[in-house]
Amino acid sequence: MEEKRKKRVFSGIQPTGTLHLGNYLGAVRNWVALQDDPSYETIYCIVDYHAITIEYEASEMPRRSLEMARDLLACGLDPGRSQIFVQSQVPEHTELAWIFQATCTAYGELQRMTQFKAKSTGREMISVGLFTYPVLQAADILIYKAGFVPVGEDQVQHLELARDVSRRFNKRFGRTFPTVKPLLTPTSRIMSLKDPEQKMSKSAGESHFLPLTATEDEVRTMVKRAVTDVGPRPEGEMSPGVANLFGILEALGDEEHHSSLMADYEAGELRYVDLKDAVADAIWETCHRIQERRAAYPEERVRQVLREGAEAVRPLARATVDEVRERVGLARP
Ligand code: TRP
């Protein structure tokens, strides 16, 4: 009997060094869940070609990728069930991106990308790579003919571009690529602890994000300092900082504290210290578990996982690029 073909999942994450709580709850935990679902085949990529589109320190990049891989493994990605690799180790991605740029991406549609607008404002030098970033992202996915891409809300526009590129390519050169569908992460966005009106991200700066490598003291101090009230709110509306703390508690699965503290809130009797204590306990429990697992992955083992991951996926990427070269008229003359 023929086994039903697994649905292929692809996703990428920037090599920011170490993961923070927002990455974990908003993305990586969902990657692990998909890996554990037998109907999917999962490929996960650390996207260093994307990371070099803004200023960076060349000497730090290899370490950033390595630490990111180590954190992904500590969070539960399993090299026996997922392929995990660094993008630049499969240079075919850039060749496909070039062909997509040249043949089926319109300048005007890239101009409309909101992430480009946000990332380019205030920069001294805006690289062309930052502008064409979403085309490389489309190539990342389509080179493996992956149809399913777990991402957060902020990446939906990029996936629509990938879908348009694939449709245009198929129409012009013959059916080659699947239709890309986002698998939206179930957890709503985790916000910055310092400014709960913006997403938790490393680029916002220290004290905005909670690294998974934090010690228990650091977790408690950061949660204690988390902003709760940000000024007057309309009647009956929870302030974003408080909503974020409740959101974290819920995302971490502490239903008992979540519902009892929520009842306090509704009765107008919530003490922020109690909410913060519960949140800090739940965060520390998660960080501690991940940190213990980190220890099982010495650096040499992480390098080996990345090497084997790249070796496993590269033939797939190569085959797609060969097929594409044939279709677009770049086969050996
Ligand atoms: N742009 C994505 C982000 O910033 C990262 C990324 C690169 C990605 N290539 C991808 C995500 C392919 C999904 C699929 O989060």
Side-chain angles (χ1 to χ4, degrees), residues 10-12 14 47 50 115 133 137 140-141 149 151 155 158:
F10 180 96
S11 198
Q14 294 236 14
V47 295
H50 281 106
Q115 187 172 302
Y133 176 118
Q137 182 165 347
D140 292 340
I141 302 162
V149 187
V151 284
Q155 293 297 312
H158 287 169

